[in-house]
């Protein structure tokens, strides 16, 4: 089968590789659609932290935002999974440690991360093998486009949940990338007044098209009372700025990661009685995200700017923008036999 392989910083190619086989407790999924995210770009550039901690190494087969159809089940797996449209969890814990038994497999010290950590081949390929325990069914109300946006949506759903927004609250989301915009959509679904902070007019105009109440730069941000700030950027200075902006007694949620260390003054945190929450993974938010997509409360599909073929990915990772791409931040790959929809 064909799969994307990153062989070194700045080097990626499509290779013919062996098809996966479903081991005990596993399934093989025919991937229909997958997404590219910032983590994938960092693997291509060589900046991804796991490359420097020993949790990942080249060559690596990336891809952790996906939707597909189960085509093979391994020993011990219910055959009812065959033919099911599914997506799956990225974080695969050991299943035995204290964290896993408490439902915190996404922070298991021995976890694998699909297409990211521990050498587990990812979903930017025609097929992928995953544990059946990681699967989530997709209803007919969640098409392949939305299905491949469940993983980033789970991060956003958890971020908004952590913000503890009530209808009428005012929420500021910093960083209008995929996660930030999904946070904005989930916050609007929760009844909040949502504003977005960004840099480029193109990204801010796109945020406005999604129905946010305001889209601002740091220079134009109005002096308003923010009941929650969700920091979803990669800017090292914005975590501290988020703490400055949020109302005393309210919440800051940190879901973005900068490429260099960012700092906050914990004296400000304590003296203003602010609650700060960090969000690592979509895992506990996957089911709720699928429900939100299925009900129509959140529609993530406008975020997809273009859908390309697997062969186009090396250029996309190198920074090429597909011809005719829309204004959204997300690039998808179609692996359906009939070609790109």
């Amino acid at each position: 089968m064909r799969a994307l392989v990153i062989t070194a910083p700045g080097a990626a190619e499509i290779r013919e590789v062996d098809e996966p086989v479903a081991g005990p407790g596993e399934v093989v999924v025919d991937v229909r659609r997958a997404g590219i995210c910032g983590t994938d770009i960092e693997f291509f550039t060589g900046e991804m932290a796991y490359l420097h901690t020993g949790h990942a190494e080249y060559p690596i087969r990336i891809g952790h935002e996906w939707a597909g159809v189960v085509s093979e089940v391994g020993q011990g797996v219910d055959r009812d999974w065959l033919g099911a449209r599914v997506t799956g969890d990225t974080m695969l814990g050991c299943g035995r440690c204290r964290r896993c038994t408490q439902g915190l497999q996404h922070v298991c010290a021995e976890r694998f991360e699909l297409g990211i950590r521990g050498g587990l081949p990812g979903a930017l390929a025609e097929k992928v093998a995953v544990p059946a325990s990681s699967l989530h069914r997709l209803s007919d109300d969640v098409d392949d486009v939305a299905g491949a946006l469940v993983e980033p949506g789970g991060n956003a759903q958890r971020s908004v949940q952590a913000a503890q927004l009530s209808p009428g609250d005012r929420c500021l989301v910093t960083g209008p990338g995929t996660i930030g915009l999904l946070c904005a959509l989930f916050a609007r679904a929760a009844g909040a007044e949502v504003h977005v902070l960004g840099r480029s007019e193109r990204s801010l105009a796109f945020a406005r098209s999604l129905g946010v109440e305001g889209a601002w730069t740091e220079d134009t941000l109005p002096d308003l009372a923010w009941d929650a700030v969700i920091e979803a950027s990669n800017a090292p200075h914005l975590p501290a700025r988020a703490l400055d902006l949020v109302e005393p007694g309210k919440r800051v949620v940190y879901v973005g990661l900068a490429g260099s260390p960012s700092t906050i003054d914990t004296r400000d945190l304590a003296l203003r009685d602010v609650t700060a929450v960090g969000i690592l993974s979509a895992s506990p938010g996957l089911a709720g995200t699928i429900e939100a997509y299925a009900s129509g409360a959140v529609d993530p599909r406008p975020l997809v700017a273009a859908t390309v073929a697997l062969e186009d990915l090396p250029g996309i990772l190198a920074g090429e923008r597909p011809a005719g791409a829309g204004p959204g931040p997300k690039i998808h790959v179609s692996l359906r036999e009939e070609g790109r929809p």
Side-chain angles (χ1 to χ4, degrees):
M1 68 170 187
R2 296 172 301 143
L4 176 74
V5 183
I6 300 177
T7 57
E13 59 190 48
I14 306 302
R15 287 184 177 178
E16 290 288 333
V17 301
D18 292 337
E19 290 189 2
V21 175
E26 293 183 337
V27 304
V28 171
V29 175
D30 293 347
V31 181
R32 297 176 67 168
R33 183 170 283 253
I36 292 289
C37 83
T39 298
D40 300 318
I41 302 295
E42 288 185 357
F43 273 118
F44 180 77
T45 63
E47 297 172 295
M48 209 288 169
Y50 285 167
L51 292 168
H52 307 287
T53 61
H55 289 112
E57 61 183 16
Y58 297 116
I60 186 168
R61 286 169 48 188
I62 60 172
H64 60 279
E65 302 177 3
W66 58 272
V69 176
V70 176
S71 59
E72 179 187 339
V73 298
Q75 180 182 350
V77 178
D78 191 331
R79 293 186 64 82
D80 283 349
W81 281 112
L82 283 171
R85 294 182 56 251
V86 296
T87 188
D89 201 343
T90 298
M91 307 299 215
L92 308 174
C94 71
R96 302 178 303 275
C97 70
R98 186 171 185 267
R99 296 175 191 174
C100 284
T101 57
Q102 291 179 341
L104 299 172
Q105 87 285 346
H106 59 290
V107 288
C108 169
E110 305 301 324
R111 71 184 180 275
F112 289 86
E113 298 179 22
L114 186 75
I116 297 174
R117 172 173 162 149
L120 197 63
L124 284 167
E126 292 176 318
K127 296 176 181 286
V128 65
V130 298
S133 59
S134 73
L135 295 178
H136 289 258
R137 290 183 186 266
L138 299 176
S139 69
D140 291 341
D141 297 317
V142 181
D143 63 15
D144 292 342
V145 180
L149 284 161
V150 168
E151 195 278 340
N155 283 279
Q157 191 263 4
R158 290 191 65 215
S159 298
V160 171
Q161 189 176 52
Q164 294 189 354
L165 293 166
S166 298
D169 281 352
R170 184 182 292 122
C171 175
L172 177 66
V173 179
T174 58
T178 297
I179 299 294
L181 292 173
L182 285 168
C183 286
L185 293 177
F186 274 96
R188 288 188 70 230
E193 175 190 324
V194 183
H195 297 248
V196 171
L197 179 70
R199 290 181 296 184
S200 75
E201 180 52 40
R202 184 174 72 89
S203 65
L204 294 176
F206 180 66
R208 293 186 193 103
S209 76
L210 298 177
V212 300
E213 280 75 11
W216 316 94
T217 66
E218 289 190 75
D219 291 335
T220 63
L221 184 68
D223 183 16
L224 298 173
W226 306 106
D227 297 298
V229 178
I230 301 175
E231 211 296 278
S233 79
N234 60 2
H237 72 286
L238 282 181
R241 181 73 174 134
L243 182 55
D244 289 339
L245 289 168
V246 73
E247 280 286 281
K250 297 303 180 75
R251 289 184 162 238
V252 176
V253 180
Y254 294 109
V255 66
L257 292 173
S260 58
S262 55
T263 60
I264 62 172
D265 189 334
T266 56
R267 294 172 296 183
D268 292 337
L269 189 74
L271 293 172
R272 301 180 68 229
D273 200 27
V274 169
T275 299
V277 183
I279 300 295
L280 169 67
S281 155
S283 299
L286 295 173
T289 297
I290 293 171
E291 291 175 6
Y293 290 178
S295 71
V298 174
D299 183 0
R301 294 171 297 180
L303 274 63
V304 179
T307 302
V308 302
L310 193 63
E311 287 75 13
D312 298 323
L313 282 183
I316 299 297
L317 290 170
E320 295 178 8
R321 186 80 174 171
K330 179 62 66 176
I331 303 296
H332 267 184
V333 179
S334 174
L335 293 115
R336 297 171 66 104
E337 291 184 3
E338 61 265 34
R340 297 190 292 273

